[in-house]
Amino acid sequence: MALFDQVYIDGAWQKADGETRALINPDTETQDATLICASSSACAAAVASARSAFDAGWGRSDIATRRAALARIITEIEARADALASCISTEIGAPIDFARTGQVAAGLAHLRATLAALETLTNDAPLTTAPDHRIRHEPLGVAALITPWNWPLNQVALKLGGAIAAGCTMVLKPSELSSRTAIILTEAIHAADLPPGVFNMITGAGDVGAALISNPDVDVVSFTGSTATGRFIAAEAAQSMTRTTLELGGKSANLLFSDCDLPTAITQGLAHCFRNAGQSCNAATRMLVARDIYNDALTLAAQIATQTEVNHPHLSGAHIGPQVSAAQFAKVQSFIETGVDQGARLVAGGPGRPDHLPQGFYSRPTVFADVSPDMTLFQDEIFGPVLTMTPFDSEEEAIALANATPYGLAGYIQTADAKRADRVAQALRVGMVQINGQSREAGAPFGGRGLSGYGREAGVWGIRAFQDIKSISGTAAF
């Protein structure tokens, strides 16, 4: 059985000496590795290393130096793409093809987009209306990067790229469920030969994260994860007024109007909901459908959900895999049972595992119809392959239903009417909108509002999240 007992501090691997945690394979439900978490002393040492590296010069490094470092990191990750995909597949249950073309590819795309943003970025420029007044963007300092398990490379890449490009030093604390992916990534960063202390990685669960954000030498916290944990981080960081970026949960609506291409909208909508076994914060989990196409939409959705294959992560193909853990599986099953109990109409899937998978944390792709705003399924993030469908009678009602949750991460619109698409996009209280299946570009700002958090990641926005603005008045040359 594999043992993972190292942390990365000040440019070197060190033995971890904290709690021991069993790592359970989501496909087999058996322990396949043991993780030794970082201790409080290791956490403090990692922050001290980052502080020393920042003060020693990384915080004053020029854009060319940061760009070269990021380019080397990308090259080293590319060299480990297969190893990363295999690890992600084993660790969180992502099917191997999706691990390659979705998980790893997304992380690399975001890093490349950050590198491209550095080509034209300036951190010192005159104010447009006053040439003798300068605006500087300066790195905030030591960044705590706390990342989830569901996109274990991509979510780190969004933060890592922005922090490196901004001139920050950092301490990464990945989810304990995806620590093995973070270890491979750290090996890549070590090979990229950054100055010691610029990047540090510690393993562990929530107690390690709490120690990290409470450290007075941490200048900015970038967190992706649950809304409940985001609330805790925001409250803790507020004690010292530490800057935070919070990318939290979602309950995103997908609005299907009468003039949409219904087969395409349903196919893409279910794929977006079920992708990664439904374990994505921006999943299109609430499908709102014009009433005159609602019955046809239900029929198509039931067919596609029934045809959606669920299978083992190591197999090639376009299937979906298991939930990441026993706790996540139990949560999804509880939501499905609650939907039935509250009177939502089950049109596909339901409680339990698929018949051919008696073992593993596998949920059945599930579709509920006639889900109203007062139901738990409509309001709460499920984080599993569960779609809810609700009819609407007008554009105004569709917008009201879309905005009827406290989340505000993403929205999806399906219509042939460009003016309607623009009206609805403006009216949705979310941070991101995609129209007619258009994919988001790498480098486009990622983030939301309400219970989905605040701040933005990716591209130039991800860099600026790790910087502060300084106003300088005077005539000195620059």
Side-chain angles (χ1 to χ4, degrees), residues 6 85 173 206 218 222 359 428 471:
Q6 291 186 314
K173 204 296 288 182
V218 169
S222 181
Q359 186 178 38
L428 296 181
S471 171

Short mmCIF file of all heavy atoms in Angstrom, two decimals, residues 6 85 173 206 218 222 359 428 471:
data_model
loop_
_atom_site.label_atom_id
_atom_site.label_comp_id
_atom_site.label_asym_id
_atom_site.label_seq_id
_atom_site.Cartn_x
_atom_site.Cartn_y
_atom_site.Cartn_z
N GLN A 6 5.23 13.20 2.53
CA GLN A 6 6.14 14.30 2.33
C GLN A 6 5.41 15.61 2.06
O GLN A 6 4.33 15.63 1.46
CB GLN A 6 7.09 14.00 1.16
CG GLN A 6 8.08 12.88 1.45
CD GLN A 6 9.09 12.71 0.34
OE1 GLN A 6 8.74 12.69 -0.83
NE2 GLN A 6 10.36 12.61 0.70
N ALA A 85 -2.97 12.41 -15.34
CA ALA A 85 -4.27 11.85 -15.71
C ALA A 85 -4.52 10.53 -15.00
O ALA A 85 -5.62 10.28 -14.49
CB ALA A 85 -4.35 11.67 -17.23
N LYS A 173 -2.28 24.24 -0.18
CA LYS A 173 -2.86 23.19 0.66
C LYS A 173 -3.98 22.55 -0.14
O LYS A 173 -5.10 23.03 -0.17
CB LYS A 173 -3.39 23.78 1.97
CG LYS A 173 -3.47 22.77 3.14
CD LYS A 173 -4.43 21.62 2.93
CE LYS A 173 -5.87 22.08 3.02
NZ LYS A 173 -6.82 20.91 2.86
N GLY A 206 -8.98 20.08 7.01
CA GLY A 206 -9.42 21.41 7.36
C GLY A 206 -8.61 22.08 8.45
O GLY A 206 -8.44 23.31 8.45
N VAL A 218 0.47 35.45 6.22
CA VAL A 218 -0.28 35.22 4.98
C VAL A 218 -1.00 36.51 4.60
O VAL A 218 -1.74 37.07 5.39
CB VAL A 218 -1.28 34.06 5.14
CG1 VAL A 218 -2.24 34.00 3.94
CG2 VAL A 218 -0.54 32.73 5.28
N SER A 222 -6.63 32.44 -1.32
CA SER A 222 -7.45 32.08 -2.47
C SER A 222 -7.99 30.68 -2.23
O SER A 222 -7.24 29.71 -2.16
CB SER A 222 -6.62 32.13 -3.76
OG SER A 222 -7.43 31.81 -4.88
N GLN A 359 -20.55 -2.30 -6.29
CA GLN A 359 -19.53 -1.77 -5.39
C GLN A 359 -18.98 -0.48 -5.96
O GLN A 359 -18.89 -0.30 -7.18
CB GLN A 359 -18.40 -2.80 -5.22
CG GLN A 359 -17.34 -2.43 -4.20
CD GLN A 359 -16.29 -3.51 -4.08
OE1 GLN A 359 -15.90 -4.12 -5.07
NE2 GLN A 359 -15.81 -3.75 -2.86
N LEU A 428 -29.51 37.90 -15.51
CA LEU A 428 -29.12 36.82 -14.60
C LEU A 428 -28.10 37.34 -13.59
O LEU A 428 -27.09 37.96 -13.96
CB LEU A 428 -28.52 35.65 -15.38
CG LEU A 428 -29.47 34.92 -16.34
CD1 LEU A 428 -28.74 33.77 -17.02
CD2 LEU A 428 -30.71 34.42 -15.63
N SER A 471 -1.19 54.07 -5.86
CA SER A 471 -1.28 55.34 -6.59
C SER A 471 -0.07 56.20 -6.21
O SER A 471 0.20 56.43 -5.03
CB SER A 471 -2.58 56.06 -6.21
OG SER A 471 -2.59 57.36 -6.73
#
